[in-house]
């Protein structure tokens, strides 16, 4: 539901800005995966978590190493938030990772309980290329240790040829996928020997690609620019579907306008209604999957989380009594989210300028009807069509099967 996703985006972004990310410069790091790995991590969320762990550890090591080289900080600790996105433009399945890292490290200061933040210089293009190679190497190493560099050949489409010549069909499928067909390593990728290192090339400013692994690290937010930080958080938490770019045509087909024109000139996609549903289903995460991850000193139970987060800094400046459990768990109201996102205060009366207040929620049907009729509004609820069975079952009943 775009409305629910929009609320989740606005509410979580406000939470991250107000209570988690402190007043320090941040940098967005984005990791896109090669096509052959996207399908596997799309349905195996545990494997995706392994990839996320390798990715954040690689970037963390980069920050800690640069802190030692630039500022002689040996005990620096990092903090980050990752947003997992499963979609690309045009409703394409594209699992990838957006990580917001504090653009430096925290380290202990003698005589103080609050650590000091030390910013490091922006990475050069060469450093981003080296990090891209390191991410590729470590992800492949982790996949090899987990034994997941395999293709499930049983998922291939069954056909008459496979039924008639299963061995030959298996060999042909393995050859097509560049997999081992027989033996103990059946299903694994064929080993390749290279006489050169994997080529890494630049793909823009602070952006590099190596063997399908794409790293982007050009987006930064200054220390006091909290408005831009909230927009960045909304970007990594945004829903897959944008109502403003979707239009239902008279033919019943759905036109989806792309955010940017593709290199081949494509500017929109046309979907049949059933096909659109199938595309949306593929983007749904598995139940219980966390789309927002906290790493380093932002993680629960981290050593310095109670003293470096935004809410901790606010309490130090303006001490206030702790909120009770009900207040702490209460969701933000729609009115507050609308005011924060669109600068529209729906609680201000357009006639007198006074503040509106919620007095009561009326659920008694006769009372509701009287109020609506007095205001000249429709008082009868819409009539919904009767529910029907699955189309396949209806077709079988019609045919007498």
């Amino acid at each position: 539901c775009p409305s629910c996703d929009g609320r989740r985006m606005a509410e979580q972004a406000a939470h991250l800005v107000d209570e988690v990310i402190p007043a320090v410069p941040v940098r967005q790091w984005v990791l896109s995966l090669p096509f052959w790995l996207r399908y596997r991590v799309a349905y195996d969320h545990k494997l995706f978590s392994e990839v996320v762990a390798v990715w954040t550890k690689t970037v963390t090591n980069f920050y800690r190493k640069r802190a030692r080289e630039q500022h002689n900080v040996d005990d620096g600790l990092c903090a980050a938030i990752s947003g997992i996105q499963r979609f690309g433009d045009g409703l394409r399945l594209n699992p990838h990772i957006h990580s917001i890292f504090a653009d430096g490290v925290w380290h202990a200061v003698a005589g103080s309980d609050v650590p000091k933040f030390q910013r490091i210089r922006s990475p050069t293009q060469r450093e981003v290329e080296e990090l891209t190679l390191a991410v590729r190497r470590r992800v492949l190493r982790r996949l090899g240790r987990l034994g997941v560099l395999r293709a499930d050949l049983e998922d291939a489409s069954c056909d008459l040829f496979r039924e008639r010549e299963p061995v030959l069909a298996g060999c042909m499928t393995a050859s097509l996928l560049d997999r081992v067909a027989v033996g103990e390593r059946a299903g694994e990728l064929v080993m390749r020997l290279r006489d050169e290192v994997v080529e890494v090339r630049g793909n823009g400013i602070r952006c590099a690609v190596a063997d399908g692994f794409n790293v982007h690290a050009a987006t930064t937010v200054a220390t006091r620019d909290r408005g831009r930080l909230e927009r960045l958080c909304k970007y990594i938490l945004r829903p897959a579907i944008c109502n403003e770019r979707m239009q239902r045509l008279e033919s019943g087909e759905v036109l989806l306008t792309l955010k940017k024109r593709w290199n081949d000139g494509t500017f929109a996609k046309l979907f049949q209604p059933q096909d659109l549903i199938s595309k949306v289903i593929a983007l749904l995460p598995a139940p219980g999957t966390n789309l927002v991850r906290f790493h380093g000193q932002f993680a629960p139970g981290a050593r310095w989380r109670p003293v470096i987060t935004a809410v901790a800094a606010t309490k130090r400046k303006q001490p206030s009594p702790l909120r009770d459990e009900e207040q702490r768990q209460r969701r933000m109201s729609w009115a507050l989210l609308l005011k924060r996102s669109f600068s529209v205060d729906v609680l201000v009366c357009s006639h007198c300028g006074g503040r509106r207040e919620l007095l009561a929620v009326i659920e008694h049907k006769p009372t509701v009807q009287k109020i609506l009729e007095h205001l000249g509004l429709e008082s009868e609820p819409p009539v919904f069509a009767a529910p029907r069975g699955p189309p396949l079952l209806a077709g079988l009943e019609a045919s007498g099967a």
Side-chain angles (χ1 to χ4, degrees):
C1 174
S3 178
C4 295
D5 281 343
R7 179 189 177 94
R8 180 184 63 86
M9 173 190 69
E11 190 171 20
Q12 288 191 349
H15 167 72
L16 295 179
V17 173
D18 292 346
E19 301 192 16
V20 181
I21 304 176
V24 297
V26 301
R27 181 178 300 275
Q28 179 188 218
W29 295 78
V30 184
L31 174 66
S32 299
L33 303 173
F35 286 98
W36 62 267
L37 185 55
R38 293 179 187 179
Y39 173 76
R40 183 60 187 266
V41 300
Y43 72 83
D44 191 342
H45 65 277
K46 291 184 179 179
L47 179 61
F48 202 0
S49 296
E50 295 285 346
V51 175
V52 173
V54 173
W55 159 245
T56 54
K57 185 176 181 180
T58 303
V59 180
T60 297
N61 290 342
F62 166 81
Y63 274 107
R64 299 190 67 182
K65 181 179 179 181
R66 295 302 178 273
R68 288 193 297 269
E69 295 173 349
Q70 298 175 13
H71 304 285
N72 296 322
V73 175
D74 295 327
D75 58 346
L77 297 178
C78 300
I81 298 168
S82 291
I84 308 301
Q85 291 189 359
R86 295 173 52 85
F87 56 88
D89 198 12
L91 295 183
R92 293 182 299 180
L93 181 63
N94 179 19
H96 59 288
I97 310 166
H98 290 256
S99 297
I100 298 179
F101 270 80
D103 207 16
V105 299
W106 278 272
H107 62 98
V109 178
S112 175
D113 295 333
V114 180
K116 178 182 178 181
F117 181 77
Q118 181 63 61
R119 185 177 186 179
I120 68 169
R121 294 193 298 269
S122 298
T124 63
Q125 179 64 28
R126 180 58 182 170
E127 289 174 338
V128 174
E129 293 175 359
E130 292 175 351
L131 186 141
T132 304
L133 287 173
V135 169
R136 173 195 170 274
R137 182 179 66 255
R138 292 175 179 177
V139 169
L140 293 180
R141 184 188 304 164
R142 178 67 64 88
L143 296 180
R145 290 175 179 173
L146 295 174
V148 297
L149 288 178
R150 300 175 59 87
D152 190 357
L153 301 181
E154 298 301 326
D155 288 343
S157 298
C158 295
D159 52 25
L160 295 178
F161 176 73
R162 176 175 293 276
E163 294 178 2
R164 186 174 63 253
E165 298 287 349
V167 177
L168 180 57
C171 292
M172 293 175 64
T173 305
S175 178
L176 180 65
L177 299 175
D178 199 22
R179 303 282 174 164
V180 178
V182 295
E184 296 180 355
R185 296 186 56 248
E188 296 184 8
L189 285 170
V190 174
M191 290 186 179
R192 302 178 183 181
L193 303 180
R194 300 176 186 248
D195 56 1
E196 296 180 0
V197 296
V198 176
E199 180 183 359
V200 58
R201 58 181 177 85
N203 193 28
I205 301 176
R206 295 187 179 89
C207 184
V209 181
D211 202 15
F213 291 84
N214 188 310
V215 174
H216 184 275
T219 304
T220 59
V221 178
T223 302
R224 300 186 183 279
D225 197 347
R226 307 299 285 183
R228 188 181 180 197
L229 176 61
E230 186 164 350
R231 291 193 295 272
L232 177 60
C233 292
K234 288 181 179 179
Y235 174 73
I236 71 172
L237 298 170
R238 71 188 188 279
I241 300 176
C242 177
N243 283 345
E244 296 178 354
R245 292 195 280 116
M246 297 186 69
Q247 177 184 1
R248 186 160 188 172
L249 306 180
E250 294 182 357
S251 61
E253 297 175 314
V254 180
L255 179 69
L256 174 64
T257 305
L258 303 179
K259 184 178 181 180
K260 294 182 180 179
R261 182 183 293 267
W262 291 355
N263 294 334
D264 62 356
T266 303
F267 65 92
K269 285 186 174 183
L270 196 62
F271 296 97
Q272 295 291 333
Q274 297 88 343
D275 186 43
L276 176 67
I277 294 175
S278 71
K279 295 296 186 294
V280 174
I281 289 174
L283 304 180
L284 297 177
T289 302
N290 293 323
L291 298 181
V292 181
R293 316 285 179 90
F294 297 85
H295 315 284
Q297 297 308 297
F298 288 160
R303 174 186 175 188
W304 286 333
R305 177 185 171 95
V307 295
I308 69 172
T309 56
V311 66
T314 302
K315 290 179 179 179
R316 288 197 299 270
K317 294 179 181 179
Q318 300 176 354
S320 59
L322 294 177
R323 296 174 295 179
D324 58 26
E325 188 69 16
E326 182 180 356
Q327 277 186 311
R328 228 166 22 91
Q329 295 183 359
R330 188 175 56 193
R331 299 178 67 186
M332 297 181 68
S333 65
W334 274 108
L336 181 58
L337 288 175
L338 289 171
K339 180 179 180 181
R340 183 162 185 149
S341 300
F342 305 107
S343 299
V344 175
D345 193 348
V346 297
L347 296 181
V348 174
C349 180
S350 58
H351 298 287
C352 67
R355 297 288 299 177
R356 296 189 177 100
E357 293 184 5
L358 179 62
L359 299 180
V361 178
I362 302 175
E363 298 180 349
H364 187 241
K365 185 177 179 179
T367 305
V368 173
Q369 288 179 329
K370 289 182 180 180
I371 294 176
L372 293 175
E373 291 172 357
H374 175 74
L375 296 175
L377 301 176
E378 185 65 37
S379 60
E380 292 296 330
V383 178
F384 295 96
R388 61 172 176 82
L392 179 60
L393 181 62
L396 292 175
E397 292 176 350
S399 62

